[in-house]
Amino acid sequence: MSQWKQIQQLDIKFLEQVDYFYDDNFPMELRQVLANWIESQDWETASNHESMATVLFNNFLIQLERQCSQEQNFLHRHNLKRIFHQIQVKYKTNPLHMAAVICNCLREERRILSTASMQEQGPLEKSMQNSATLEKLKVLDNKVAVIRSSVQMLDQGVKYLEDMQDDFDFRYKTLQLRDPVERNSLTMKQEVTTLQEILNRLDFKRKEILSKIADVIKEIDTLISSQLNPELKEWKRRQQIACIGGPVLIGLDQLQNWFTLTAQSLFQIKRQLDKLGELILKVTYESDPIPLQRPQMEEQVKYLIYHLIKSSFVVEKQPCMPTHPQKPLIIKTQVQFTTKVRYEPQLPLEAVTNQKISKLTLLIFACRNRQFFILTNNTKVMDVEESTGCLSVEFRHLTCSLPLVVISNVSQLPGGWASVMWYNLLTDDPKNLGFFSNPLRASWSQLSEVLSWQFSSFAGRGLNKEQLNMLGDKLLGQHASYNDCQVSWSKFWKENIPGKSFSFWLWLDSILDLIKKHLLPVWIDGYIMGFVSKEMERALLKEKEPGTFLLRFSESHLGGITFTWVEQDENGEPKFISVEPYTKNRLNALPIADIIRDYKVIADGVVPENPLKFLYPDIPKDEAFGKHYNSQQNKGLISANLYLSQILSDPNKPYFNGKLIYSDFR
């Protein structure tokens, strides 16, 4: 089943995550109509090679144009043509960007599929879900709606007050125009009494409306401080977790809606206070409550607007190099990066704010047409996105991000990413720049979840409980329970594994790289057991049919994969045969599926045979790997006899009970 069909069968909560990362950069309509073709291309490689990206871009346009011509539905055809022209203009000069965007979408789909397939959730993912439960969202929705309704009612109250004042003003001016000789008449006295009663009611209504405005301002203040700001803080924490491979980040659109409605309420109250200011220019009196209370309320409203705007300017997508979209917050010198910021309230407004960002300062001017001009050497315009309606801008040279790791060579990526993971796992303080002077320890339950995320994010399939237990053994030694064990930063990254010349993370990162570049289809299918000790390997294979084998990652090599199969000796006892690990250099020449298909053992002049028959536990080899075979089998062994004498004299070649393991020579 294609990846896209699997996506469409997910529950709604996962489909909402998919919906999040499809936007104008790569509309979901294209993913739908070109699903099979898109999945058959190597976007990962293309995102790093301009010539290949250009070829794929041109082929993409050809496929899309063909789809447009075949579409029978007039509306669908119209939309596809519009998207065709948008994509053509957007990526014509930068096909690498398109390849990176599509590659990232496919990777995120695999990560969501992996998350959906895992029966157990770790503590971090559970906490991320608990922070945004449906009930909590309903409460906040209701609170914002109640405030919005109260502000609308205030509009009616101010209008009623204005009408009452107009009535008073008219009566008062009419009374002033009366003949002075009538002032002592009974009728005149009755009119004065009536006028005084109206003024008393006017005074009462002014006090009432001011009291109601004060109550609503207090409610908004409480909403912002006790609900909106904490919710934004939790979203930023979820963003940290998403940056290190955690659940796909959602919820910003909902936050934007709350911020927008709250900002609209504040601006509406400001207009109401302005109207009250206009009223006292026409009618005022001794102990008039408006000039006494209005100035303080105006200051409160301005304060709340300022802080709402200040807090709602967020980094939607953290800085990332286009060549490493799955490793944000790592920047290489002399390499451009991109980031995306969003201003949440959707309001036509005039405002000037200063936002201090790291060592840089942005001066942001909001214009009535809702464009933000960023005054830096590289001018940026914050536009309204069609898909979300929010104000956003993408930067290549400027950001207010989480702390970054700056590297000068790609060889520093493993250490940089280890630092990013450790920091964002253990602290939610974006200004904790002294974190690594005395780094916190991580519990194994936290760390194991993040490690599984690395495999689901980078390779489309997370780790199961057994695989994580093996990693726990590797890092901590054997324990009855790992959950309460603490792991130090030094043990994770700096210290070498006992007896090895590399650290735990360097070993694991090299495996991730090997999967990503050479083993991805087989790993996604679940045919690589991967993390299993030699002892467990033998325990699993000893009762199996001869020729049963499993694939595991080498513990002695960086970035190596090996396989072991079981045979029976002359006494019927099981014996286990392993091969020298295959590393990226060997897998560059021959894919792992073809190696397994063509593997041969030469012994004592016997006709070479393939000892690999069943993938553990009992899957026929061709059934498991057949769809990954190259179309042309390497039938010849390239004259084994020519190499045999040379190989037999080579002490570095692996021998097992007098048999020569023969697979490298094609």
Side-chain angles (χ1 to χ4, degrees):
M1 185 185 298
S2 71
Q3 183 170 305
W4 186 241
K5 286 185 178 179
Q6 294 178 59
I7 286 290
Q8 292 174 304
Q9 294 178 5
L10 293 176
D11 292 340
I12 185 65
K13 64 178 181 179
F14 296 111
L15 290 177
E16 288 176 352
Q17 296 179 17
V18 175
D19 183 62
Y20 175 76
F21 54 80
Y22 279 102
D23 53 23
D24 290 342
N25 288 323
F26 184 41
M28 192 179 287
E29 293 95 323
L30 298 185
R31 182 67 178 95
Q32 172 74 27
V33 299
L34 298 178
N36 292 332
W37 183 84
I38 287 172
E39 291 180 31
S40 67
Q41 310 305 311
D42 188 356
W43 300 102
E44 185 79 43
T45 302
S47 64
N48 295 294
H49 295 85
E50 187 166 5
S51 58
M52 184 176 178
T54 302
V55 171
L56 276 185
F57 172 68
N58 291 328
N59 289 340
F60 185 92
L61 293 178
I62 292 171
Q63 294 290 330
L64 184 54
E65 190 173 32
R66 183 178 301 160
Q67 190 68 35
C68 289
S69 63
Q70 295 173 354
E71 179 58 58
Q72 299 300 314
N73 184 288
F74 173 76
L75 181 59
H76 292 170
R77 183 167 66 251
H78 170 78
N79 289 337
L80 286 177
K81 286 182 178 179
R82 176 178 55 82
I83 295 173
F84 175 89
H85 292 299
Q86 289 177 348
I87 294 295
Q88 188 177 39
V89 172
K90 191 176 189 71
Y91 298 116
K92 185 176 182 180
T93 59
N94 192 4
L96 276 173
H97 187 200
M98 188 191 83
V101 167
I102 297 178
C103 176
N104 183 64
C105 288
L106 294 175
R107 183 185 301 111
E108 292 298 328
E109 286 180 9
R110 291 195 296 269
R111 184 169 74 169
I112 291 172
L113 287 171
S114 176
T115 302
S117 67
M118 302 295 283
Q119 293 183 354
E120 295 185 3
Q121 295 175 316
L124 285 170
E125 186 160 348
K126 287 179 180 177
S127 69
M128 294 303 103
Q129 291 183 347
N130 291 338
S131 68
T133 60
L134 183 60
E135 186 61 32
K136 185 177 180 182
L137 297 181
K138 286 181 178 179
V139 169
L140 223 170
D141 271 336
N142 183 63
K143 184 63 176 177
V144 172
V146 167
I147 289 176
R148 200 79 189 100
S149 177
S150 298
V151 173
Q152 299 290 357
M153 293 295 291
L154 286 176
D155 261 359
Q156 298 177 26
V158 171
K159 182 65 170 65
Y160 178 80
L161 185 64
E162 184 180 16
D163 291 342
M164 181 184 290
Q165 178 171 307
D166 287 344
D167 179 47
F168 172 84
D169 190 46
F170 175 77
R171 289 172 179 264
Y172 178 75
K173 290 178 179 177
T174 301
L175 190 63
Q176 284 184 318
L177 295 174
R178 298 284 292 273
D179 191 333
V181 299
E182 299 180 12
R183 288 185 178 177
N184 292 324
S185 67
L186 180 60
T187 303
M188 188 74 162
K189 288 180 180 180
Q190 288 176 341
E191 289 181 1
V192 169
T193 301
T194 300
L195 198 61
Q196 183 62 53
E197 290 174 353
I198 295 175
L199 182 60
N200 290 340
R201 291 200 301 271
L202 184 65
D203 180 65
F204 175 80
K205 283 298 180 182
R206 283 188 174 186
K207 290 177 180 177
E208 183 182 57
I209 198 70
L210 286 167
S211 176
K212 290 181 178 179
I213 291 176
D215 288 342
V216 174
I217 292 174
K218 185 177 180 180
E219 288 180 19
I220 293 177
D221 189 5
T222 302
L223 172 72
I224 293 173
S225 61
S226 65
Q227 291 180 282
L228 286 185
N229 285 343
E231 195 66 29
L232 179 59
K233 184 178 180 181
E234 289 184 11
W235 179 86
K236 289 181 177 180
R237 178 58 182 156
R238 296 199 299 273
Q239 185 185 52
Q240 282 188 275
I241 296 302
C243 280
I244 56 175
V248 174
L249 184 64
I250 58 175
L252 190 58
D253 290 340
Q254 181 63 69
L255 271 172
Q256 177 187 316
N257 183 55
W258 292 329
F259 271 82
T260 296
L261 293 176
T262 304
Q264 287 174 346
S265 296
L266 285 170
F267 277 97
Q268 197 165 347
I269 291 174
K270 186 178 183 305
R271 289 193 294 272
Q272 292 163 359
L273 291 172
D274 290 342
K275 173 57 73 174
L276 293 180
E278 294 173 8
L279 293 182
I280 62 174
L281 296 177
K282 296 180 180 179
V283 176
T284 189
Y285 47 88
E286 187 177 352
S287 301
D288 185 348
I290 293 179
L292 293 175
Q293 300 179 37
R294 177 175 167 272
Q296 182 182 359
M297 291 184 183
E298 278 194 317
E299 288 302 313
Q300 285 180 288
V301 170
K302 289 178 182 178
Y303 174 86
L304 291 174
I305 290 174
Y306 168 78
H307 283 279
L308 189 71
I309 290 175
K310 181 180 178 181
S311 63
S312 63
F313 189 72
V314 299
V315 180
E316 182 177 356
K317 294 181 181 178
Q318 293 291 334
C320 183
M321 293 186 293
T323 53
H324 295 84
Q326 71 278 33
K327 289 185 177 179
L329 303 173
I330 299 179
I331 306 301
K332 184 178 179 295
T333 54
Q334 306 302 316
V335 174
Q336 287 189 337
F337 62 89
T338 63
T339 186
K340 185 177 183 181
V341 297
R342 181 191 287 204
Y343 172 68
E344 300 209 23
Q346 302 177 47
L347 296 168
L349 56 93
E350 289 185 76
V352 179
T353 62
N354 292 335
Q355 178 82 5
K356 191 171 183 181
I357 299 174
S358 300
K359 296 180 180 179
L360 302 169
T361 300
L362 288 182
L363 297 180
I364 306 168
F365 293 84
C367 304
R368 288 190 182 276
N369 63 354
R370 299 200 294 175
Q371 288 185 328
F372 274 34
F373 295 89
I374 311 303
L375 301 185
T376 64
N377 291 335
N378 294 355
T379 299
K380 295 288 182 180
V381 178
M382 185 172 277
D383 294 314
V384 180
E385 286 194 341
E386 290 183 8
S387 57
T388 65
C390 70
L391 293 162
S392 65
V393 62
E394 291 197 27
F395 294 103
R396 289 182 180 270
H397 307 285
L398 195 61
T399 177
C400 52
S401 69
L402 291 164
L404 304 176
V405 173
V406 180
I407 62 174
S408 57
N409 191 286
V410 290
S411 64
Q412 298 169 320
L413 265 174
W417 186 239
S419 301
V420 169
M421 284 193 297
W422 206 262
Y423 182 93
N424 288 286
L425 170 63
L426 297 175
T427 180
D428 60 0
D429 181 3
K431 297 181 180 179
N432 187 3
L433 301 183
F435 177 83
F436 282 103
S437 61
N438 186 23
L440 299 172
R441 289 172 173 261
S443 69
W444 174 248
S445 61
Q446 291 175 308
L447 184 58
S448 62
E449 188 174 8
V450 174
L451 295 181
S452 181
W453 287 343
Q454 303 313 298
F455 283 82
S456 61
S457 176
F458 283 74
R461 187 181 185 87
L463 303 179
N464 59 34
K465 185 176 180 180
E466 290 73 23
Q467 291 169 324
L468 289 171
N469 283 342
M470 187 273 181
L471 291 179
D473 287 345
K474 189 81 172 175
L475 186 60
L476 300 165
Q478 291 188 348
H479 287 268
S481 174
Y482 297 101
N483 287 342
D484 297 329
C485 293
Q486 299 289 311
V487 182
S488 69
W489 163 245
S490 179
K491 193 171 188 65
F492 178 73
W493 164 244
K494 293 185 177 181
E495 298 175 12
N496 287 342
I497 297 173
K500 303 294 186 294
S501 60
F502 43 80
S503 68
F504 174 83
W505 171 247
L506 196 60
W507 170 70
L508 200 62
D509 185 71
S510 67
I511 290 172
L512 278 165
D513 189 63
L514 188 74
I515 293 174
K516 180 180 174 183
K517 294 179 179 177
H518 301 289
L519 306 171
L520 194 60
V522 179
W523 171 260
I524 290 176
D525 285 347
Y527 293 147
I528 300 177
M529 187 171 291
F531 300 104
V532 56
S533 65
K534 291 181 180 179
E535 294 76 14
M536 179 57 68
E537 177 185 70
R538 297 192 173 201
L540 294 173
L541 291 175
K542 69 178 181 179
E543 302 296 335
K544 294 298 178 180
E545 290 287 327
T548 301
F549 66 100
L550 57 80
L551 295 161
R552 66 178 178 85
F553 298 117
S554 171
E555 297 180 64
S556 57
H557 290 68
L558 281 178
I561 187 169
T562 182
F563 49 83
T564 300
W565 72 89
V566 62
E567 291 184 354
Q568 287 184 347
D569 63 15
E570 294 139 348
N571 300 320
E573 295 296 319
K575 61 178 180 178
F576 309 95
I577 306 174
S578 299
V579 300
E580 183 181 356
Y582 289 88
T583 59
K584 61 182 180 181
N585 291 333
R586 302 174 76 185
L587 293 173
N588 270 331
L590 200 61
I592 188 68
D594 287 358
I595 290 173
I596 291 170
R597 178 190 63 187
D598 300 335
Y599 204 83
K600 296 292 189 294
V601 174
I602 298 175
D604 302 328
V606 178
V607 175
E609 64 176 22
N610 191 328
L612 310 176
K613 303 187 184 320
F614 303 99
L615 177 67
Y616 181 88
D618 55 9
I619 307 173
K621 172 189 63 180
D622 291 339
E623 180 181 321
F625 298 98
K627 65 180 180 180
H628 303 302
Y629 294 158
N630 285 336
S631 57
Q632 294 297 321
Q633 184 173 353
N634 296 301
K635 296 180 179 179
L637 294 181
I638 312 184
S639 303
N641 291 334
L642 294 178
Y643 293 100
L644 193 54
S645 60
Q646 177 183 353
I647 294 171
L648 291 174
S649 64
D650 186 348
N652 294 320
K653 286 293 176 183
Y655 288 84
F656 301 94
N657 299 323
K659 294 184 178 180
L660 171 66
I661 307 304
Y662 192 92
S663 68
D664 295 331
F665 304 99
R666 300 284 185 263

